Amino acid sequence: MIVPPRRSNDDPDRQTECQAALEAEFQGLSQRAIGAGWTESEVEFAMLCLSLAEIRRRECNIETEEQILAAIRMVEGR
C-alpha cells in the first residue's frame, strides 16, 4: 500500500517522503520481475527508461496543450 503524503506541496522534504512511500512497491515490482527471469540490471534499466519515458510523455502533452491553446487563441483573434 502506498501511503498518502503528510507534508504540504511546498515542503522541501515532500520528495523524500514520496520516495519512502514508493520504495516498498518499487522493491516488490523489482523482485517480481527478477522472479520472472529478468536480471537485476535489466529490471533497473527498464524502470529507469520507463520513468524517463513518462517524464517525456508528460512534457510533450503539456507542450501540445499549450500549442492547441495558442492555435485556438489565434483563430479566435485573441
Side-chain angles (χ1 to χ4, degrees):
M1 179 179 127
I2 299 173
V3 297
R6 294 177 294 140
R7 301 173 189 275
S8 65
N9 288 345
D10 59 347
D11 189 307
D13 293 327
R14 186 175 167 106
Q15 186 61 47
T16 302
E17 181 184 29
C18 182
Q19 290 174 9
L22 295 177
E23 187 172 5
E25 294 290 331
F26 179 84
Q27 293 298 327
L29 178 58
S30 294
Q31 291 306 309
R32 289 193 308 276
I34 291 166
W38 299 102
T39 67
E40 190 172 308
S41 293
E42 290 169 327
V43 172
E44 291 167 348
F45 186 71
M47 288 185 164
L48 175 61
C49 289
L50 289 168
S51 294
L52 291 172
E54 180 61 19
I55 291 168
R56 287 187 189 116
R57 182 202 59 77
R58 190 169 12 97
E59 287 175 351
C60 287
N61 284 348
I62 291 169
E63 183 179 332
T64 300
E65 289 173 9
E66 289 171 353
Q67 290 171 347
I68 290 169
L69 289 173
I72 290 170
R73 284 192 295 274
M74 187 170 57
V75 168
E76 293 178 346
R78 288 194 255 163

